[in-house]
Amino acid sequence: MNILQIENLSKVYGKGETAVKALDDVSFSVKKGEFVAIIGPSGSGKSTLLHLLGGVDRPSSGKVLINNTDIYKLNETQLAIFRRRQIGLIYQFYNLIPILTVEENITLPMLLDEHKVDPEQLKNIINTLGLEKRLNHLPNQLSGGQQQRVSIGRALISNPAIMLADEPTGNLDSKNSEEILELLKMFNKTFNHTLIVITHDERIALQADRVISIEDGRIAMDEVIRS
Ligand SMILES: Nc1ncnc2c1ncn2[C@@H]1O[C@H](COP(=O)(O)OP(=O)(O)O)[C@@H](O)[C@H]1O
Ligand SMILES: [Mg+2]
Protein backbone atom coordinates (compact mmCIF):
# COMPACT_ATOMS: atom_id res chain seq x y z
CA MET A 1 0.00 0.00 0.00
CA ASN A 2 1.29 3.46 -0.88
CA ILE A 3 1.05 5.80 2.06
CA LEU A 4 2.55 8.67 0.11
CA GLN A 5 2.18 9.60 -3.52
CA ILE A 6 3.90 12.59 -5.09
CA GLU A 7 2.88 13.65 -8.58
CA ASN A 8 4.75 16.16 -10.74
CA LEU A 9 5.73 18.29 -7.78
CA SER A 10 7.43 21.61 -8.52
CA LYS A 11 8.34 24.58 -6.37
CA VAL A 12 9.53 27.97 -7.54
CA TYR A 13 10.65 30.53 -4.97
CA GLY A 14 10.37 34.20 -5.92
CA LYS A 15 9.31 35.75 -9.19
CA GLY A 16 10.82 37.01 -12.44
CA GLU A 17 14.59 37.32 -12.63
CA THR A 18 15.22 36.19 -9.08
CA ALA A 19 12.98 33.10 -9.34
CA VAL A 20 14.60 29.85 -8.16
CA LYS A 21 13.22 26.50 -9.27
CA ALA A 22 13.95 24.47 -6.15
CA LEU A 23 11.95 21.40 -7.18
CA ASP A 24 11.34 20.40 -10.77
CA ASP A 25 8.59 17.91 -11.65
CA VAL A 26 9.30 15.27 -9.02
CA SER A 27 7.16 12.12 -8.81
CA PHE A 28 7.51 9.04 -6.61
CA SER A 29 5.58 7.00 -4.09
CA VAL A 30 6.41 5.48 -0.74
CA LYS A 31 4.96 2.30 0.76
CA LYS A 32 3.66 2.08 4.30
CA GLY A 33 6.50 1.20 6.66
CA GLU A 34 9.26 2.04 4.19
CA PHE A 35 12.44 3.78 5.42
CA VAL A 36 13.61 6.17 2.70
CA ALA A 37 16.82 8.21 2.85
CA ILE A 38 17.01 11.36 0.72
CA ILE A 39 20.51 12.48 -0.16
CA GLY A 40 21.95 15.16 -2.43
CA PRO A 41 24.21 18.20 -2.42
CA SER A 42 23.42 21.34 -0.46
CA GLY A 43 20.86 23.48 -2.27
CA SER A 44 19.52 20.59 -4.37
CA GLY A 45 15.97 20.89 -3.02
CA LYS A 46 15.85 18.27 -0.25
CA SER A 47 14.38 20.49 2.47
CA THR A 48 11.93 21.99 -0.01
CA LEU A 49 10.75 18.48 -0.88
CA LEU A 50 10.38 17.51 2.77
CA HIS A 51 8.42 20.68 3.56
CA LEU A 52 6.05 19.94 0.69
CA LEU A 53 5.60 16.34 1.86
CA GLY A 54 4.83 17.64 5.33
CA GLY A 55 2.29 20.27 4.33
CA VAL A 56 4.54 23.01 5.71
CA ASP A 57 4.62 24.94 2.44
CA ARG A 58 2.50 24.83 -0.72
CA PRO A 59 3.86 23.63 -4.10
CA SER A 60 3.86 25.76 -7.25
CA SER A 61 2.31 22.77 -9.03
CA GLY A 62 1.76 19.07 -8.50
CA LYS A 63 0.14 16.91 -5.89
CA VAL A 64 0.95 15.23 -2.58
CA LEU A 65 -1.36 12.43 -1.48
CA ILE A 66 -0.97 11.06 2.04
CA ASN A 67 -3.20 8.10 2.88
CA ASN A 68 -5.17 9.06 -0.26
CA THR A 69 -5.80 12.61 0.96
CA ASP A 70 -4.81 15.22 -1.61
CA ILE A 71 -3.33 17.51 1.04
CA TYR A 72 -3.11 20.71 -1.01
CA LYS A 73 -6.85 20.53 -1.71
CA LEU A 74 -7.34 21.20 2.00
CA ASN A 75 -7.78 24.77 3.23
CA GLU A 76 -5.28 26.25 5.73
CA THR A 77 -7.19 25.14 8.83
CA GLN A 78 -7.80 21.62 7.52
CA LEU A 79 -4.15 21.36 6.46
CA ALA A 80 -2.92 22.47 9.88
CA ILE A 81 -5.04 19.78 11.54
CA PHE A 82 -3.98 17.15 9.02
CA ARG A 83 -0.32 18.03 9.58
CA ARG A 84 -0.65 17.81 13.35
CA ARG A 85 -2.30 14.38 13.21
CA GLN A 86 -0.62 12.70 10.26
CA ILE A 87 2.89 14.15 9.97
CA GLY A 88 5.70 13.81 12.48
CA LEU A 89 8.38 16.39 11.74
CA ILE A 90 11.92 16.20 13.12
CA TYR A 91 14.42 18.99 12.47
CA GLN A 92 18.19 19.34 12.81
CA PHE A 93 17.87 21.95 15.57
CA TYR A 94 14.97 20.23 17.39
CA ASN A 95 12.59 23.27 17.34
CA LEU A 96 11.41 22.67 20.89
CA ILE A 97 9.46 25.35 22.77
CA PRO A 98 11.99 26.75 25.30
CA ILE A 99 9.48 27.62 28.03
CA LEU A 100 7.77 24.20 28.01
CA THR A 101 9.03 21.14 29.88
CA VAL A 102 9.98 17.88 28.19
CA GLU A 103 6.56 16.38 28.90
CA GLU A 104 4.75 19.53 27.72
CA ASN A 105 6.79 19.66 24.50
CA ILE A 106 5.97 16.03 23.73
CA THR A 107 2.25 16.34 24.40
CA LEU A 108 1.83 19.75 22.74
CA PRO A 109 0.41 18.44 19.42
CA MET A 110 -2.32 16.60 21.35
CA LEU A 111 -3.18 19.64 23.47
CA LEU A 112 -3.38 21.85 20.38
CA ASP A 113 -5.80 19.31 18.98
CA GLU A 114 -7.78 19.21 22.22
CA HIS A 115 -7.14 15.47 22.29
CA LYS A 116 -6.53 13.56 25.49
CA VAL A 117 -3.11 12.01 25.77
CA ASP A 118 -3.22 8.26 26.33
CA PRO A 119 -1.10 7.87 29.49
CA GLU A 120 0.04 4.37 28.50
CA GLN A 121 1.20 5.55 25.10
CA LEU A 122 2.96 8.58 26.61
CA LYS A 123 4.72 6.36 29.13
CA ASN A 124 5.79 3.96 26.39
CA ILE A 125 7.24 6.74 24.27
CA ILE A 126 9.02 8.37 27.20
CA ASN A 127 10.53 5.08 28.39
CA THR A 128 11.61 4.09 24.90
CA LEU A 129 13.30 7.46 24.47
CA GLY A 130 14.92 7.17 27.91
CA LEU A 131 13.48 10.47 29.11
CA GLU A 132 11.74 9.29 32.28
CA LYS A 133 14.06 11.29 34.56
CA ARG A 134 13.86 14.45 32.46
CA LEU A 135 10.10 15.06 32.25
CA ASN A 136 10.16 18.36 34.13
CA HIS A 137 13.33 19.71 32.55
CA LEU A 138 13.34 22.59 30.10
CA PRO A 139 15.03 22.13 26.69
CA ASN A 140 18.07 24.23 27.68
CA GLN A 141 18.70 21.81 30.56
CA LEU A 142 19.16 18.93 28.09
CA SER A 143 21.95 17.74 25.84
CA GLY A 144 21.50 17.87 22.06
CA GLY A 145 20.82 14.14 21.93
CA GLN A 146 18.17 14.44 24.63
CA GLN A 147 16.54 17.38 22.88
CA GLN A 148 16.34 15.37 19.68
CA ARG A 149 14.72 12.51 21.64
CA VAL A 150 12.07 14.96 22.86
CA SER A 151 11.42 16.10 19.31
CA ILE A 152 11.01 12.45 18.24
CA GLY A 153 8.51 11.98 21.07
CA ARG A 154 6.58 15.04 19.92
CA ALA A 155 6.60 13.71 16.35
CA LEU A 156 5.24 10.33 17.47
CA ILE A 157 2.63 11.25 20.06
CA SER A 158 -0.19 11.59 17.52
CA ASN A 159 0.66 8.29 15.77
CA PRO A 160 1.38 10.00 12.46
CA ALA A 161 1.10 8.35 9.04
CA ILE A 162 4.64 9.43 8.18
CA MET A 163 7.72 10.66 10.01
CA LEU A 164 9.81 13.25 8.18
CA ALA A 165 13.27 14.14 9.44
CA ASP A 166 15.54 16.86 8.00
CA GLU A 167 19.18 16.11 8.97
CA PRO A 168 18.10 14.74 12.39
CA THR A 169 21.68 13.96 13.39
CA GLY A 170 23.28 16.97 11.71
CA ASN A 171 23.96 18.68 15.03
CA LEU A 172 24.99 15.61 17.05
CA ASP A 173 28.26 13.79 17.79
CA SER A 174 28.67 10.30 16.39
CA LYS A 175 27.53 8.46 19.54
CA ASN A 176 24.31 10.49 19.81
CA SER A 177 23.79 10.25 16.05
CA GLU A 178 23.91 6.50 16.27
CA GLU A 179 21.45 6.41 19.17
CA ILE A 180 19.00 8.70 17.39
CA LEU A 181 19.26 6.60 14.24
CA GLU A 182 18.64 3.41 16.25
CA LEU A 183 15.53 4.99 17.81
CA LEU A 184 14.17 6.10 14.46
CA LYS A 185 14.81 2.65 12.99
CA MET A 186 13.19 1.00 15.98
CA PHE A 187 10.02 3.08 15.59
CA ASN A 188 10.13 2.33 11.85
CA LYS A 189 10.58 -1.44 12.16
CA THR A 190 8.67 -2.18 15.37
CA PHE A 191 5.68 0.09 14.81
CA ASN A 192 5.80 0.18 11.01
CA HIS A 193 6.01 3.99 10.99
CA THR A 194 6.95 5.20 7.52
CA LEU A 195 10.20 7.14 7.79
CA ILE A 196 11.72 9.64 5.37
CA VAL A 197 15.09 11.07 6.39
CA ILE A 198 17.19 13.71 4.68
CA THR A 199 20.81 13.08 5.49
CA HIS A 200 24.40 13.86 4.64
CA ASP A 201 25.44 10.87 6.71
CA GLU A 202 26.31 7.88 4.58
CA ARG A 203 25.86 5.52 7.53
CA ILE A 204 22.22 6.58 7.79
CA ALA A 205 21.63 6.29 4.06
CA LEU A 206 23.08 2.78 4.02
CA GLN A 207 20.64 1.62 6.68
CA ALA A 208 17.57 2.78 4.78
CA ASP A 209 15.39 0.46 2.68
CA ARG A 210 15.68 2.85 -0.23
CA VAL A 211 17.82 5.83 -1.21
CA ILE A 212 16.59 8.71 -3.35
CA SER A 213 19.17 11.19 -4.57
CA ILE A 214 18.12 14.73 -5.52
CA GLU A 215 20.16 16.96 -7.81
CA ASP A 216 19.07 20.38 -9.09
CA GLY A 217 15.52 19.78 -7.92
CA ARG A 218 15.15 16.47 -9.75
CA ILE A 219 15.44 12.81 -8.82
CA ALA A 220 18.89 11.66 -9.95
CA MET A 221 18.68 8.16 -8.47
CA ASP A 222 16.06 6.04 -6.73
CA GLU A 223 17.30 2.69 -5.52
CA VAL A 224 15.80 0.03 -3.30
CA ILE A 225 18.55 -1.36 -1.06
CA ARG A 226 16.43 -3.88 0.85
CA SER A 227 12.76 -4.77 0.76
N1 LIG B 1 12.35 30.36 1.24
C1 LIG B 1 13.15 30.38 0.16
N2 LIG B 1 13.18 31.46 -0.66
C2 LIG B 1 13.96 31.49 -1.75
N3 LIG B 1 14.76 30.48 -2.13
C3 LIG B 1 14.79 29.38 -1.37
C4 LIG B 1 13.98 29.28 -0.17
N4 LIG B 1 14.22 28.06 0.38
C5 LIG B 1 15.12 27.44 -0.42
N5 LIG B 1 15.45 28.22 -1.47
C6 LIG B 1 16.38 27.87 -2.56
O1 LIG B 1 15.90 26.67 -3.15
C7 LIG B 1 16.97 25.79 -3.45
C8 LIG B 1 16.80 24.48 -2.71
O2 LIG B 1 16.93 24.72 -1.32
P1 LIG B 1 16.73 23.59 -0.20
O3 LIG B 1 15.47 22.86 -0.49
O4 LIG B 1 16.85 24.23 1.13
O5 LIG B 1 17.97 22.64 -0.50
P2 LIG B 1 18.71 21.55 0.42
O6 LIG B 1 17.84 21.24 1.58
O7 LIG B 1 18.93 20.40 -0.50
O8 LIG B 1 20.01 22.16 0.83
C9 LIG B 1 18.25 26.54 -3.11
O9 LIG B 1 18.72 27.18 -4.26
C10 LIG B 1 17.77 27.55 -2.07
O10 LIG B 1 18.60 28.68 -2.08
MG1 LIG C 1 18.21 21.39 3.63
Side-chain angles (χ1 to χ4, degrees):
M1 184 194 118
N2 283 340
I3 198 144
L4 174 67
Q5 202 163 330
I6 294 131
E7 296 174 9
N8 307 104
L9 204 60
S10 294
K11 176 73 183 180
V12 179
Y13 293 109
K15 283 202 173 85
E17 286 200 349
T18 58
V20 175
K21 193 157 206 179
L23 215 57
D24 186 7
D25 197 25
V26 167
S27 302
F28 63 94
S29 52
V30 173
K31 290 198 205 81
K32 179 162 170 56
E34 214 171 359
F35 171 13
V36 181
I38 296 180
I39 59 170
S42 183
S44 57
K46 304 182 298 296
S47 294
T48 299
L49 174 61
L50 209 77
H51 287 150
L52 294 178
L53 302 188
V56 178
D57 197 2
R58 284 183 183 261
S60 304
S61 59
K63 280 187 190 178
V64 173
L65 288 97
I66 297 173
N67 259 336
N68 294 319
T69 299
D70 188 343
I71 66 169
Y72 293 111
K73 287 222 170 104
L74 303 174
N75 67 31
E76 284 308 316
T77 313
Q78 292 168 327
L79 183 59
I81 293 169
F82 185 88
R83 195 166 56 221
R84 215 148 56 212
R85 294 182 186 164
Q86 302 291 345
I87 315 277
L89 273 167
I90 299 161
Y91 293 99
Q92 180 175 357
F93 295 105
Y94 331 123
N95 288 19
L96 301 175
I97 312 265
I99 57 166
L100 297 183
T101 65
V102 165
E103 183 168 0
E104 289 165 343
N105 266 287
I106 291 177
T107 54
L108 185 65
M110 303 298 278
L111 301 181
L112 290 172
D113 235 6
E114 293 171 21
H115 274 182
K116 282 231 167 65
V117 178
D118 173 358
E120 268 305 298
Q121 192 207 0
L122 179 62
K123 202 170 149 212
N124 263 333
I125 289 178
I126 283 168
N127 290 347
T128 309
L129 294 171
L131 290 169
E132 48 291 56
K133 296 201 175 112
R134 297 283 181 274
L135 291 184
N136 295 314
H137 288 226
L138 295 172
N140 68 9
Q141 298 170 316
L142 303 174
S143 71
Q146 289 168 334
Q147 290 184 64
Q148 194 59 301
R149 286 159 189 266
V150 176
S151 98
I152 293 173
R154 178 183 56 188
L156 283 169
I157 191 74
S158 55
N159 262 319
I162 50 179
M163 287 170 74
L164 302 174
D166 194 345
E167 303 276 3
T169 65
N171 197 40
L172 301 175
D173 61 33
S174 61
K175 179 171 171 284
N176 274 297
S177 295
E178 220 153 274
E179 285 175 12
I180 291 296
L181 176 64
E182 283 311 313
L183 283 169
L184 290 173
K185 267 173 50 187
M186 198 273 297
F187 284 112
N188 168 246
K189 293 295 166 238
T190 313
F191 302 104
N192 209 27
H193 280 299
T194 309
L195 175 62
I196 302 179
V197 180
I198 293 180
T199 185
H200 273 110
D201 189 336
E202 231 169 62
R203 285 168 307 177
I204 294 190
L206 287 172
Q207 298 199 39
D209 302 323
R210 172 178 170 197
V211 179
I212 296 177
S213 149
I214 307 283
E215 279 173 31
D216 290 330
R218 291 176 154 265
I219 294 184
M221 185 207 79
D222 182 350
E223 212 166 301
V224 174
I225 302 180
R226 53 182 76 80
S227 53

